[in-house]
PDB file of all heavy atoms in Angstrom:
ATOM      1  N   HIS A   1     215.198 -26.549 179.432  1.00  0.00           N
ATOM      2  CA  HIS A   1     214.830 -26.615 178.028  1.00  0.00           C
ATOM      3  C   HIS A   1     216.041 -26.327 177.126  1.00  0.00           C
ATOM      4  O   HIS A   1     216.723 -25.324 177.369  1.00  0.00           O
ATOM      5  CB  HIS A   1     213.685 -25.592 177.743  1.00  0.00           C
ATOM      6  CG  HIS A   1     213.239 -25.587 176.334  1.00  0.00           C
ATOM      7  ND1 HIS A   1     212.554 -26.631 175.741  1.00  0.00           N
ATOM      8  CD2 HIS A   1     213.392 -24.681 175.360  1.00  0.00           C
ATOM      9  CE1 HIS A   1     212.281 -26.313 174.507  1.00  0.00           C
ATOM     10  NE2 HIS A   1     212.796 -25.125 174.235  1.00  0.00           N
ATOM     11  N   THR A   2     216.309 -27.173 176.187  1.00  0.00           N
ATOM     12  CA  THR A   2     217.372 -26.969 175.191  1.00  0.00           C
ATOM     13  C   THR A   2     216.707 -27.158 173.800  1.00  0.00           C
ATOM     14  O   THR A   2     215.603 -27.640 173.725  1.00  0.00           O
ATOM     15  CB  THR A   2     218.536 -27.936 175.360  1.00  0.00           C
ATOM     16  OG1 THR A   2     218.117 -29.237 174.996  1.00  0.00           O
ATOM     17  CG2 THR A   2     219.079 -27.894 176.790  1.00  0.00           C
ATOM     18  N   PRO A   3     217.412 -26.816 172.728  1.00  0.00           N
ATOM     19  CA  PRO A   3     216.765 -26.940 171.429  1.00  0.00           C
ATOM     20  C   PRO A   3     216.363 -28.383 171.023  1.00  0.00           C
ATOM     21  O   PRO A   3     215.344 -28.563 170.383  1.00  0.00           O
ATOM     22  CB  PRO A   3     217.864 -26.432 170.463  1.00  0.00           C
ATOM     23  CG  PRO A   3     218.665 -25.496 171.269  1.00  0.00           C
ATOM     24  CD  PRO A   3     218.680 -26.070 172.657  1.00  0.00           C
ATOM     25  N   GLY A   4     217.085 -29.396 171.446  1.00  0.00           N
ATOM     26  CA  GLY A   4     216.766 -30.747 171.061  1.00  0.00           C
ATOM     27  C   GLY A   4     216.098 -31.606 172.111  1.00  0.00           C
ATOM     28  O   GLY A   4     215.653 -32.743 171.782  1.00  0.00           O
ATOM     29  N   GLU A   5     216.039 -31.155 173.339  1.00  0.00           N
ATOM     30  CA  GLU A   5     215.379 -31.933 174.358  1.00  0.00           C
ATOM     31  C   GLU A   5     215.056 -31.022 175.555  1.00  0.00           C
ATOM     32  O   GLU A   5     215.637 -30.017 175.762  1.00  0.00           O
ATOM     33  CB  GLU A   5     216.215 -33.130 174.830  1.00  0.00           C
ATOM     34  CG  GLU A   5     217.490 -32.798 175.563  1.00  0.00           C
ATOM     35  CD  GLU A   5     218.307 -34.040 175.898  1.00  0.00           C
ATOM     36  OE1 GLU A   5     217.754 -34.942 176.607  1.00  0.00           O
ATOM     37  OE2 GLU A   5     219.452 -34.139 175.480  1.00  0.00           O
ATOM     38  N   THR A   6     214.086 -31.489 176.303  1.00  0.00           N
ATOM     39  CA  THR A   6     213.678 -30.873 177.573  1.00  0.00           C
ATOM     40  C   THR A   6     213.962 -31.935 178.637  1.00  0.00           C
ATOM     41  O   THR A   6     213.559 -33.035 178.491  1.00  0.00           O
ATOM     42  CB  THR A   6     212.205 -30.420 177.537  1.00  0.00           C
ATOM     43  OG1 THR A   6     212.073 -29.470 176.502  1.00  0.00           O
ATOM     44  CG2 THR A   6     211.783 -29.855 178.860  1.00  0.00           C
ATOM     45  N   VAL A   7     214.614 -31.468 179.697  1.00  0.00           N
ATOM     46  CA  VAL A   7     215.018 -32.392 180.771  1.00  0.00           C
ATOM     47  C   VAL A   7     214.282 -32.022 182.056  1.00  0.00           C
ATOM     48  O   VAL A   7     214.270 -30.833 182.423  1.00  0.00           O
ATOM     49  CB  VAL A   7     216.517 -32.385 180.963  1.00  0.00           C
ATOM     50  CG1 VAL A   7     216.915 -33.310 182.103  1.00  0.00           C
ATOM     51  CG2 VAL A   7     217.258 -32.749 179.667  1.00  0.00           C
ATOM     52  N   PHE A   8     213.682 -32.972 182.697  1.00  0.00           N
ATOM     53  CA  PHE A   8     213.082 -32.791 183.993  1.00  0.00           C
ATOM     54  C   PHE A   8     214.036 -33.357 185.045  1.00  0.00           C
ATOM     55  O   PHE A   8     214.458 -34.519 184.897  1.00  0.00           O
ATOM     56  CB  PHE A   8     211.726 -33.550 184.107  1.00  0.00           C
ATOM     57  CG  PHE A   8     210.626 -32.988 183.274  1.00  0.00           C
ATOM     58  CD1 PHE A   8     210.652 -33.037 181.878  1.00  0.00           C
ATOM     59  CD2 PHE A   8     209.557 -32.366 183.880  1.00  0.00           C
ATOM     60  CE1 PHE A   8     209.624 -32.502 181.125  1.00  0.00           C
ATOM     61  CE2 PHE A   8     208.519 -31.855 183.151  1.00  0.00           C
ATOM     62  CZ  PHE A   8     208.547 -31.886 181.759  1.00  0.00           C
ATOM     63  N   LEU A   9     214.391 -32.540 186.035  1.00  0.00           N
ATOM     64  CA  LEU A   9     215.211 -32.988 187.132  1.00  0.00           C
ATOM     65  C   LEU A   9     214.329 -33.105 188.384  1.00  0.00           C
ATOM     66  O   LEU A   9     213.743 -32.126 188.775  1.00  0.00           O
ATOM     67  CB  LEU A   9     216.364 -32.023 187.406  1.00  0.00           C
ATOM     68  CG  LEU A   9     217.310 -31.763 186.260  1.00  0.00           C
ATOM     69  CD1 LEU A   9     218.324 -30.663 186.650  1.00  0.00           C
ATOM     70  CD2 LEU A   9     218.053 -33.053 185.852  1.00  0.00           C
ATOM     71  N   TYR A  10     214.240 -34.280 188.929  1.00  0.00           N
ATOM     72  CA  TYR A  10     213.317 -34.509 190.029  1.00  0.00           C
ATOM     73  C   TYR A  10     214.071 -34.747 191.340  1.00  0.00           C
ATOM     74  O   TYR A  10     215.062 -35.511 191.363  1.00  0.00           O
ATOM     75  CB  TYR A  10     212.471 -35.768 189.792  1.00  0.00           C
ATOM     76  CG  TYR A  10     211.552 -35.671 188.602  1.00  0.00           C
ATOM     77  CD1 TYR A  10     211.920 -36.214 187.354  1.00  0.00           C
ATOM     78  CD2 TYR A  10     210.319 -35.040 188.679  1.00  0.00           C
ATOM     79  CE1 TYR A  10     211.048 -36.144 186.271  1.00  0.00           C
ATOM     80  CE2 TYR A  10     209.455 -34.975 187.610  1.00  0.00           C
ATOM     81  CZ  TYR A  10     209.824 -35.498 186.392  1.00  0.00           C
ATOM     82  OH  TYR A  10     209.010 -35.479 185.321  1.00  0.00           O
ATOM     83  N   GLU A  11     213.613 -34.164 192.406  1.00  0.00           N
ATOM     84  CA  GLU A  11     214.079 -34.483 193.745  1.00  0.00           C
ATOM     85  C   GLU A  11     213.064 -35.507 194.269  1.00  0.00           C
ATOM     86  O   GLU A  11     211.878 -35.264 194.264  1.00  0.00           O
ATOM     87  CB  GLU A  11     214.017 -33.260 194.638  1.00  0.00           C
ATOM     88  CG  GLU A  11     214.437 -33.515 196.075  1.00  0.00           C
ATOM     89  CD  GLU A  11     214.345 -32.269 196.953  1.00  0.00           C
ATOM     90  OE1 GLU A  11     214.825 -31.199 196.501  1.00  0.00           O
ATOM     91  OE2 GLU A  11     213.775 -32.379 198.022  1.00  0.00           O
ATOM     92  N   SER A  12     213.571 -36.690 194.654  1.00  0.00           N
ATOM     93  CA  SER A  12     212.629 -37.687 195.150  1.00  0.00           C
ATOM     94  C   SER A  12     213.233 -38.395 196.380  1.00  0.00           C
ATOM     95  O   SER A  12     214.410 -38.204 196.675  1.00  0.00           O
ATOM     96  CB  SER A  12     212.302 -38.708 194.066  1.00  0.00           C
ATOM     97  OG  SER A  12     213.384 -39.640 193.892  1.00  0.00           O
ATOM     98  N   LEU A  13     212.466 -39.162 197.043  1.00  0.00           N
ATOM     99  CA  LEU A  13     212.944 -39.875 198.216  1.00  0.00           C
ATOM    100  C   LEU A  13     213.930 -40.950 197.896  1.00  0.00           C
ATOM    101  O   LEU A  13     214.656 -41.440 198.768  1.00  0.00           O
ATOM    102  CB  LEU A  13     211.712 -40.524 198.987  1.00  0.00           C
ATOM    103  CG  LEU A  13     210.732 -39.506 199.505  1.00  0.00           C
ATOM    104  CD1 LEU A  13     209.507 -40.250 200.095  1.00  0.00           C
ATOM    105  CD2 LEU A  13     211.362 -38.613 200.557  1.00  0.00           C
ATOM    106  N   VAL A  14     214.030 -41.321 196.627  1.00  0.00           N
ATOM    107  CA  VAL A  14     215.022 -42.326 196.190  1.00  0.00           C
ATOM    108  C   VAL A  14     216.246 -41.709 195.541  1.00  0.00           C
ATOM    109  O   VAL A  14     217.041 -42.418 194.933  1.00  0.00           O
ATOM    110  CB  VAL A  14     214.369 -43.393 195.273  1.00  0.00           C
ATOM    111  CG1 VAL A  14     213.253 -44.107 196.006  1.00  0.00           C
ATOM    112  CG2 VAL A  14     213.885 -42.794 193.984  1.00  0.00           C
ATOM    113  N   GLY A  15     216.366 -40.421 195.611  1.00  0.00           N
ATOM    114  CA  GLY A  15     217.525 -39.735 195.023  1.00  0.00           C
ATOM    115  C   GLY A  15     217.101 -38.893 193.887  1.00  0.00           C
ATOM    116  O   GLY A  15     215.935 -38.769 193.473  1.00  0.00           O
ATOM    117  N   MET A  16     218.099 -38.287 193.255  1.00  0.00           N
ATOM    118  CA  MET A  16     217.857 -37.419 192.084  1.00  0.00           C
ATOM    119  C   MET A  16     217.552 -38.303 190.903  1.00  0.00           C
ATOM    120  O   MET A  16     218.198 -39.311 190.661  1.00  0.00           O
ATOM    121  CB  MET A  16     219.099 -36.562 191.772  1.00  0.00           C
ATOM    122  CG  MET A  16     219.438 -35.595 192.896  1.00  0.00           C
ATOM    123  SD  MET A  16     218.216 -34.273 193.073  1.00  0.00           S
ATOM    124  CE  MET A  16     218.564 -33.344 191.621  1.00  0.00           C
ATOM    125  N   ILE A  17     216.527 -37.939 190.157  1.00  0.00           N
ATOM    126  CA  ILE A  17     216.079 -38.698 188.977  1.00  0.00           C
ATOM    127  C   ILE A  17     215.911 -37.704 187.825  1.00  0.00           C
ATOM    128  O   ILE A  17     215.442 -36.578 188.064  1.00  0.00           O
ATOM    129  CB  ILE A  17     214.776 -39.437 189.213  1.00  0.00           C
ATOM    130  CG1 ILE A  17     214.891 -40.384 190.381  1.00  0.00           C
ATOM    131  CG2 ILE A  17     214.265 -40.141 187.987  1.00  0.00           C
ATOM    132  CD1 ILE A  17     213.611 -41.002 190.852  1.00  0.00           C
ATOM    133  N   PHE A  18     216.303 -38.101 186.624  1.00  0.00           N
ATOM    134  CA  PHE A  18     216.069 -37.208 185.499  1.00  0.00           C
ATOM    135  C   PHE A  18     215.220 -37.900 184.440  1.00  0.00           C
ATOM    136  O   PHE A  18     215.123 -39.139 184.388  1.00  0.00           O
ATOM    137  CB  PHE A  18     217.420 -36.803 184.856  1.00  0.00           C
ATOM    138  CG  PHE A  18     218.164 -37.909 184.225  1.00  0.00           C
ATOM    139  CD1 PHE A  18     217.953 -38.203 182.869  1.00  0.00           C
ATOM    140  CD2 PHE A  18     219.028 -38.718 184.969  1.00  0.00           C
ATOM    141  CE1 PHE A  18     218.639 -39.291 182.293  1.00  0.00           C
ATOM    142  CE2 PHE A  18     219.702 -39.778 184.371  1.00  0.00           C
ATOM    143  CZ  PHE A  18     219.504 -40.058 183.024  1.00  0.00           C
ATOM    144  N   ARG A  19     214.612 -37.099 183.625  1.00  0.00           N
ATOM    145  CA  ARG A  19     213.776 -37.611 182.539  1.00  0.00           C
ATOM    146  C   ARG A  19     214.095 -36.752 181.289  1.00  0.00           C
ATOM    147  O   ARG A  19     214.031 -35.569 181.327  1.00  0.00           O
ATOM    148  CB  ARG A  19     212.313 -37.429 182.926  1.00  0.00           C
ATOM    149  CG  ARG A  19     211.324 -37.870 181.852  1.00  0.00           C
ATOM    150  CD  ARG A  19     209.932 -37.657 182.408  1.00  0.00           C
ATOM    151  NE  ARG A  19     208.937 -38.067 181.445  1.00  0.00           N
ATOM    152  CZ  ARG A  19     207.678 -37.653 181.475  1.00  0.00           C
ATOM    153  NH1 ARG A  19     207.273 -36.842 182.436  1.00  0.00           N
ATOM    154  NH2 ARG A  19     206.804 -38.028 180.591  1.00  0.00           N
ATOM    155  N   GLN A  20     214.353 -37.441 180.200  1.00  0.00           N
ATOM    156  CA  GLN A  20     214.647 -36.778 178.957  1.00  0.00           C
ATOM    157  C   GLN A  20     213.428 -36.800 178.075  1.00  0.00           C
ATOM    158  O   GLN A  20     212.778 -37.845 177.912  1.00  0.00           O
ATOM    159  CB  GLN A  20     215.788 -37.517 178.156  1.00  0.00           C
ATOM    160  CG  GLN A  20     217.094 -37.544 178.907  1.00  0.00           C
ATOM    161  CD  GLN A  20     218.090 -38.383 178.173  1.00  0.00           C
ATOM    162  OE1 GLN A  20     218.864 -37.845 177.409  1.00  0.00           O
ATOM    163  NE2 GLN A  20     218.005 -39.707 178.331  1.00  0.00           N
ATOM    164  N   VAL A  21     213.022 -35.656 177.545  1.00  0.00           N
ATOM    165  CA  VAL A  21     211.939 -35.568 176.590  1.00  0.00           C
ATOM    166  C   VAL A  21     212.558 -35.001 175.322  1.00  0.00           C
ATOM    167  O   VAL A  21     212.944 -33.849 175.277  1.00  0.00           O
ATOM    168  CB  VAL A  21     210.828 -34.627 177.128  1.00  0.00           C
ATOM    169  CG1 VAL A  21     209.704 -34.498 176.095  1.00  0.00           C
ATOM    170  CG2 VAL A  21     210.290 -35.101 178.462  1.00  0.00           C
ATOM    171  N   PHE A  22     212.656 -35.849 174.310  1.00  0.00           N
ATOM    172  CA  PHE A  22     213.277 -35.433 173.081  1.00  0.00           C
ATOM    173  C   PHE A  22     212.347 -34.559 172.249  1.00  0.00           C
ATOM    174  O   PHE A  22     211.177 -34.931 172.023  1.00  0.00           O
ATOM    175  CB  PHE A  22     213.724 -36.680 172.274  1.00  0.00           C
ATOM    176  CG  PHE A  22     214.746 -37.480 172.999  1.00  0.00           C
ATOM    177  CD1 PHE A  22     214.417 -38.636 173.682  1.00  0.00           C
ATOM    178  CD2 PHE A  22     216.080 -37.058 173.039  1.00  0.00           C
ATOM    179  CE1 PHE A  22     215.359 -39.355 174.373  1.00  0.00           C
ATOM    180  CE2 PHE A  22     217.014 -37.759 173.746  1.00  0.00           C
ATOM    181  CZ  PHE A  22     216.659 -38.943 174.417  1.00  0.00           C
ATOM    182  N   THR A  23     212.838 -33.430 171.828  1.00  0.00           N
ATOM    183  CA  THR A  23     211.996 -32.456 171.088  1.00  0.00           C
ATOM    184  C   THR A  23     212.584 -32.163 169.700  1.00  0.00           C
ATOM    185  O   THR A  23     212.327 -31.146 169.077  1.00  0.00           O
ATOM    186  CB  THR A  23     211.883 -31.144 171.864  1.00  0.00           C
ATOM    187  OG1 THR A  23     213.206 -30.649 172.157  1.00  0.00           O
ATOM    188  CG2 THR A  23     211.133 -31.336 173.150  1.00  0.00           C
ATOM    189  N   ASP A  24     213.412 -33.114 169.202  1.00  0.00           N
ATOM    190  CA  ASP A  24     214.068 -32.930 167.915  1.00  0.00           C
ATOM    191  C   ASP A  24     213.262 -33.480 166.733  1.00  0.00           C
ATOM    192  O   ASP A  24     213.796 -33.609 165.634  1.00  0.00           O
ATOM    193  CB  ASP A  24     215.458 -33.527 167.964  1.00  0.00           C
ATOM    194  CG  ASP A  24     215.471 -34.999 168.343  1.00  0.00           C
ATOM    195  OD1 ASP A  24     214.377 -35.610 168.487  1.00  0.00           O
ATOM    196  OD2 ASP A  24     216.568 -35.579 168.479  1.00  0.00           O
ATOM    197  N   GLY A  25     212.028 -33.875 166.986  1.00  0.00           N
ATOM    198  CA  GLY A  25     211.227 -34.366 165.880  1.00  0.00           C
ATOM    199  C   GLY A  25     211.204 -35.868 165.695  1.00  0.00           C
ATOM    200  O   GLY A  25     210.484 -36.369 164.834  1.00  0.00           O
ATOM    201  N   ARG A  26     211.957 -36.598 166.474  1.00  0.00           N
ATOM    202  CA  ARG A  26     211.959 -38.023 166.312  1.00  0.00           C
ATOM    203  C   ARG A  26     210.647 -38.681 166.752  1.00  0.00           C
ATOM    204  O   ARG A  26     209.945 -38.079 167.614  1.00  0.00           O
ATOM    205  CB  ARG A  26     213.128 -38.654 167.162  1.00  0.00           C
ATOM    206  CG  ARG A  26     212.883 -38.593 168.613  1.00  0.00           C
ATOM    207  CD  ARG A  26     214.037 -39.179 169.429  1.00  0.00           C
ATOM    208  NE  ARG A  26     215.197 -38.330 169.369  1.00  0.00           N
ATOM    209  CZ  ARG A  26     216.364 -38.614 169.933  1.00  0.00           C
ATOM    210  NH1 ARG A  26     216.509 -39.755 170.561  1.00  0.00           N
ATOM    211  NH2 ARG A  26     217.341 -37.780 169.803  1.00  0.00           N
ATOM    212  N   PRO A  27     210.277 -39.795 166.187  1.00  0.00           N
ATOM    213  CA  PRO A  27     209.057 -40.485 166.652  1.00  0.00           C
ATOM    214  C   PRO A  27     209.341 -41.338 167.865  1.00  0.00           C
ATOM    215  O   PRO A  27     210.496 -41.580 168.224  1.00  0.00           O
ATOM    216  CB  PRO A  27     208.713 -41.375 165.426  1.00  0.00           C
ATOM    217  CG  PRO A  27     210.041 -41.717 164.860  1.00  0.00           C
ATOM    218  CD  PRO A  27     210.902 -40.472 165.069  1.00  0.00           C
ATOM    219  N   LEU A  28     208.254 -41.757 168.519  1.00  0.00           N
ATOM    220  CA  LEU A  28     208.419 -42.738 169.586  1.00  0.00           C
ATOM    221  C   LEU A  28     208.905 -44.047 169.030  1.00  0.00           C
ATOM    222  O   LEU A  28     208.482 -44.430 167.940  1.00  0.00           O
ATOM    223  CB  LEU A  28     207.074 -42.950 170.325  1.00  0.00           C
ATOM    224  CG  LEU A  28     206.583 -41.865 171.245  1.00  0.00           C
ATOM    225  CD1 LEU A  28     205.113 -42.094 171.634  1.00  0.00           C
ATOM    226  CD2 LEU A  28     207.452 -41.791 172.485  1.00  0.00           C
ATOM    227  N   PRO A  29     209.835 -44.717 169.681  1.00  0.00           N
ATOM    228  CA  PRO A  29     210.332 -45.965 169.174  1.00  0.00           C
ATOM    229  C   PRO A  29     209.272 -47.048 169.239  1.00  0.00           C
ATOM    230  O   PRO A  29     208.406 -46.993 170.109  1.00  0.00           O
ATOM    231  CB  PRO A  29     211.556 -46.290 170.065  1.00  0.00           C
ATOM    232  CG  PRO A  29     211.306 -45.523 171.301  1.00  0.00           C
ATOM    233  CD  PRO A  29     210.487 -44.318 170.926  1.00  0.00           C
ATOM    234  N   ALA A  30     209.341 -48.044 168.356  1.00  0.00           N
ATOM    235  CA  ALA A  30     208.399 -49.132 168.334  1.00  0.00           C
ATOM    236  C   ALA A  30     208.487 -49.995 169.595  1.00  0.00           C
ATOM    237  O   ALA A  30     207.514 -50.401 170.149  1.00  0.00           O
ATOM    238  CB  ALA A  30     208.613 -49.981 167.068  1.00  0.00           C
ATOM    239  N   ASN A  31     209.708 -50.299 170.053  1.00  0.00           N
ATOM    240  CA  ASN A  31     209.886 -51.154 171.191  1.00  0.00           C
ATOM    241  C   ASN A  31     210.968 -50.547 172.105  1.00  0.00           C
ATOM    242  O   ASN A  31     212.097 -51.060 172.172  1.00  0.00           O
ATOM    243  CB  ASN A  31     210.349 -52.569 170.767  1.00  0.00           C
ATOM    244  CG  ASN A  31     209.265 -53.263 170.023  1.00  0.00           C
ATOM    245  OD1 ASN A  31     208.136 -53.401 170.549  1.00  0.00           O
ATOM    246  ND2 ASN A  31     209.572 -53.698 168.809  1.00  0.00           N
ATOM    247  N   PRO A  32     210.663 -49.493 172.852  1.00  0.00           N
ATOM    248  CA  PRO A  32     211.666 -48.908 173.728  1.00  0.00           C
ATOM    249  C   PRO A  32     212.013 -49.828 174.919  1.00  0.00           C
ATOM    250  O   PRO A  32     211.216 -50.687 175.325  1.00  0.00           O
ATOM    251  CB  PRO A  32     211.003 -47.636 174.260  1.00  0.00           C
ATOM    252  CG  PRO A  32     209.515 -47.908 174.124  1.00  0.00           C
ATOM    253  CD  PRO A  32     209.344 -48.861 172.952  1.00  0.00           C
ATOM    254  N   GLU A  33     213.201 -49.652 175.373  1.00  0.00           N
ATOM    255  CA  GLU A  33     213.655 -50.399 176.571  1.00  0.00           C
ATOM    256  C   GLU A  33     212.781 -49.939 177.755  1.00  0.00           C
ATOM    257  O   GLU A  33     212.694 -48.750 178.062  1.00  0.00           O
ATOM    258  CB  GLU A  33     215.122 -50.096 176.867  1.00  0.00           C
ATOM    259  CG  GLU A  33     215.687 -50.842 178.057  1.00  0.00           C
ATOM    260  CD  GLU A  33     215.868 -52.344 177.794  1.00  0.00           C
ATOM    261  OE1 GLU A  33     216.023 -52.723 176.612  1.00  0.00           O
ATOM    262  OE2 GLU A  33     215.777 -53.103 178.758  1.00  0.00           O
ATOM    263  N   PRO A  34     212.127 -50.848 178.456  1.00  0.00           N
ATOM    264  CA  PRO A  34     211.269 -50.442 179.587  1.00  0.00           C
ATOM    265  C   PRO A  34     212.026 -49.698 180.678  1.00  0.00           C
ATOM    266  O   PRO A  34     213.128 -50.130 181.009  1.00  0.00           O
ATOM    267  CB  PRO A  34     210.670 -51.758 180.096  1.00  0.00           C
ATOM    268  CG  PRO A  34     210.804 -52.735 178.963  1.00  0.00           C
ATOM    269  CD  PRO A  34     212.064 -52.287 178.242  1.00  0.00           C
ATOM    270  N   ALA A  35     211.438 -48.656 181.177  1.00  0.00           N
ATOM    271  CA  ALA A  35     212.069 -47.813 182.220  1.00  0.00           C
ATOM    272  C   ALA A  35     210.962 -47.225 183.115  1.00  0.00           C
ATOM    273  O   ALA A  35     209.833 -47.096 182.662  1.00  0.00           O
ATOM    274  CB  ALA A  35     212.921 -46.713 181.609  1.00  0.00           C
ATOM    275  N   TRP A  36     211.289 -46.863 184.324  1.00  0.00           N
ATOM    276  CA  TRP A  36     210.292 -46.291 185.223  1.00  0.00           C
ATOM    277  C   TRP A  36     209.666 -45.026 184.703  1.00  0.00           C
ATOM    278  O   TRP A  36     208.496 -44.769 184.920  1.00  0.00           O
ATOM    279  CB  TRP A  36     210.882 -46.064 186.591  1.00  0.00           C
ATOM    280  CG  TRP A  36     211.188 -47.313 187.356  1.00  0.00           C
ATOM    281  CD1 TRP A  36     212.417 -47.882 187.568  1.00  0.00           C
ATOM    282  CD2 TRP A  36     210.224 -48.212 187.997  1.00  0.00           C
ATOM    283  NE1 TRP A  36     212.258 -49.050 188.282  1.00  0.00           N
ATOM    284  CE2 TRP A  36     210.946 -49.253 188.563  1.00  0.00           C
ATOM    285  CE3 TRP A  36     208.867 -48.159 188.115  1.00  0.00           C
ATOM    286  CZ2 TRP A  36     210.300 -50.288 189.227  1.00  0.00           C
ATOM    287  CZ3 TRP A  36     208.216 -49.201 188.789  1.00  0.00           C
ATOM    288  CH2 TRP A  36     208.966 -50.237 189.345  1.00  0.00           C
ATOM    289  N   LEU A  37     210.445 -44.218 183.968  1.00  0.00           N
ATOM    290  CA  LEU A  37     209.970 -42.988 183.416  1.00  0.00           C
ATOM    291  C   LEU A  37     209.676 -43.094 181.916  1.00  0.00           C
ATOM    292  O   LEU A  37     209.340 -42.118 181.275  1.00  0.00           O
ATOM    293  CB  LEU A  37     210.896 -41.820 183.743  1.00  0.00           C
ATOM    294  CG  LEU A  37     211.179 -41.594 185.216  1.00  0.00           C
ATOM    295  CD1 LEU A  37     212.088 -40.398 185.410  1.00  0.00           C
ATOM    296  CD2 LEU A  37     209.865 -41.388 186.011  1.00  0.00           C
TER     297      LEU A  37
END
């Protein structure tokens, strides 16, 4: 956890994966680039 984002670090069978969760007040984008997470 940091002031502007929370990051999840995952151990998985396909390697290390991270996920950014922005907590700086921004809205969800209208058309985000598709990604597994």
Side-chain angles (χ1 to χ4, degrees):
H1 180 69
T2 69
E5 68 183 300
T6 297
V7 178
F8 289 70
L9 301 175
Y10 297 97
E11 177 183 314
S12 77
L13 297 174
V14 299
M16 297 291 289
I17 299 172
F18 67 91
R19 179 180 180 200
Q20 300 174 96
V21 178
F22 297 101
T23 56
D24 57 3
R26 71 181 71 183
L28 284 168
N31 294 304
E33 184 69 30
W36 288 105
L37 302 181

